[in-house]
Amino acid sequence: MTHGVTSREEFEFLADLVMRHSDGDHTALSVSDVHGGTTRFANNQIIQNVDTRRVTLRVTVAYGRRHGTASTTDLSAGAIQDAIRRAAGIARVSPEDPEYLPPLGPQVYANPPTWCPETSTAGPARRLHDAGTVIEECRKNGANAAGIVSSSESAAGIAASTGLRGYETRTEARFSVTAAHGDATGWVANAHRSIDRLSVAERTLTAIEKARQGGEGRELPPGRYTVVLEPAAVAGLVSWMQWLLDAKSYYKGTSPFAGKLGSAIIDRRLHLRNLPSHPDLLGHRYGMDGLPQRETSWIVEGVLTQLAFDRFTAQEHGVEPMPILDAPYLCGDAPVDDLIATAERAILVTNFWYLRLVNPTDLTLTGMTRDGTFLIEDGRVQGAVKNFRFHESPLRAFSRLDAYTKPLQAVTSETGKMLVPGLRLREFNFSSVTTF
């Protein structure tokens, strides 16, 4: 099935080799083998076309609660034995880890579709072709293109002396373009297991149209506005919720969700789920420590119902461990088709840029609008406005929900991939107008 990455048989050989040469009470290993390439373009020209492969073997050896880890990119027998010796040496001189738990035993994993042949066989020529399509569309429309097209095939495996075994092959393709038209820019991005599903030409035209509508843009005063957030902007806000939904910080009291398990944290029409098997998401079979990924609900009718529990924290609280939210799917009941047509006056935001955490206790974020910010009046886009900086918490913003669409594919420059709706929110806090 694979074309040039570590096969299951090769992984099993490596796992058996490590187990035979380790004298630890417990031994665990992981293998990551990524073969892929990236084509970059700027000013309507190809500027880079690289193709690389990197294999990494990571070995952990434990004696009681003392453990050490070493890695190598050399899979010769001598290099592997050296990695085992280094891991064992680190373990022997390390203090006992009070949170150490032996590796998991055998697990049952689902078998989601993680591999596509068209991406596996897509090489530099295919990436050049897709990049050329982007550049040609921009040239025809008087715009300048900058962005990337990438594709990769990877193999990942985990094993432990306790009998744990996990292996999967994955493919992933990505595309993003910033189309510049004068001083205005439009941006789109997509990611998919299938390179044929990137919709390069169609999405490039969207970026060009955004840039064309941009222009100088008028300046509006900062303040609280109704906003229409496109899915990429929503994904930027959801990503911070996703990262902070962990039980350890929850019980330490440092999480913005502390004390809110079982309580409504956003509008009750919204639900957040983990769908690792969804064909348009990039979910995995298991988490870092081998815990199986599975379909779960994290927010139901606006109520927080699930946290990510590492194995130690789960044992402390007598619950089942839960890997991190891997394939986010935000949805609501009774979505609408068009958020603009029914908006009396609102700011349309294509994307948020450079999001940073301001207050971790209430999840207040700051960031800037980017690549298409427009004024909507009487159900129509009236023209571009200058970019804003915002200070807002997604927990507060998602509680001021007017309307939403069905979930759509969304990728941001700082996060992975999600399926999230476009949202119309009341009183979104734009704190200043940016000068760039």
Side-chain angles (χ1 to χ4, degrees), residues 327-365:
Y329 180 89
L330 182 70
C331 65
D333 303 324
V336 301
D337 293 330
D338 194 336
L339 297 175
I340 296 175
T342 52
E344 184 177 338
R345 191 170 194 267
I347 302 296
L348 171 64
V349 178
T350 297
N351 189 26
F352 287 130
W353 184 70
Y354 210 67
L355 273 68
R356 292 295 180 267
L357 185 62
V358 174
N359 185 348
T361 63
D362 66 358
L363 199 51
T364 295
L365 306 174

Side-chain angles (χ1 to χ4, degrees), residues 77-274:
I80 292 173
Q81 291 179 44
D82 179 64
I84 297 169
R85 280 193 295 272
R86 285 188 285 121
I90 294 168
R92 289 191 180 96
V93 299
S94 295
E96 288 195 345
D97 179 354
E99 296 191 5
Y100 175 78
L101 292 173
L104 290 168
Q107 302 289 306
V108 176
Y109 298 122
N111 190 29
T114 56
W115 186 86
C116 291
E118 61 272 22
T119 309
S120 171
T121 55
R126 170 62 188 269
R127 294 191 291 270
L128 279 172
H129 174 270
D130 286 357
T133 299
V134 176
I135 291 170
E136 182 59 27
E137 291 292 351
C138 283
R139 281 178 177 161
K140 283 193 302 186
N141 289 280
N144 261 324
I148 62 127
V149 176
S150 68
S151 64
S152 66
E153 178 184 31
S154 62
I158 53 172
S161 53
T162 50
L164 177 69
R165 286 288 192 280
Y167 172 87
E168 68 176 347
T169 53
R170 305 162 181 164
T171 54
E172 184 174 317
R174 287 183 176 268
F175 149 73
S176 71
V177 60
T178 300
H181 193 274
D183 292 333
T185 58
W187 168 90
V188 293
N190 197 11
H192 206 279
R193 297 199 187 284
S194 170
I195 195 169
D196 292 343
R197 298 284 301 278
L198 291 181
S199 305
V200 169
E202 174 188 347
R203 288 175 182 261
T204 297
L205 291 174
T206 299
I208 294 169
E209 185 59 26
K210 290 272 187 183
R212 276 180 161 175
Q213 292 180 358
E216 178 64 20
R218 61 169 151 159
E219 183 173 323
L220 294 179
R224 292 188 174 275
Y225 290 85
T226 294
V227 291
V228 173
L229 304 184
E230 295 196 351
V234 175
L237 301 179
V238 172
S239 63
W240 281 92
M241 295 174 59
Q242 175 191 1
W243 294 334
L244 296 174
L245 280 168
D246 72 287
K248 181 164 284 187
S249 64
Y250 181 92
Y251 287 108
K252 283 182 177 177
T254 59
S255 163
F257 304 103
K260 296 177 180 175
L261 196 58
S263 301
I265 58 170
I266 58 176
D267 189 281
R268 287 186 177 273
R269 288 169 290 177
L270 294 178
H271 319 281
L272 179 63
R273 304 171 66 192
N274 185 38

Side-chain angles (χ1 to χ4, degrees), residues 56-89:
T56 304
L57 169 68
R58 191 168 181 263
V59 179
T60 297
V61 177
Y63 302 100
R65 291 180 178 272
R66 304 175 191 274
H67 58 91
T69 299
S71 62
T72 178
T73 57
D74 182 350
L75 297 189
S76 66
I80 292 173
Q81 291 179 44
D82 179 64
I84 297 169
R85 280 193 295 272
R86 285 188 285 121

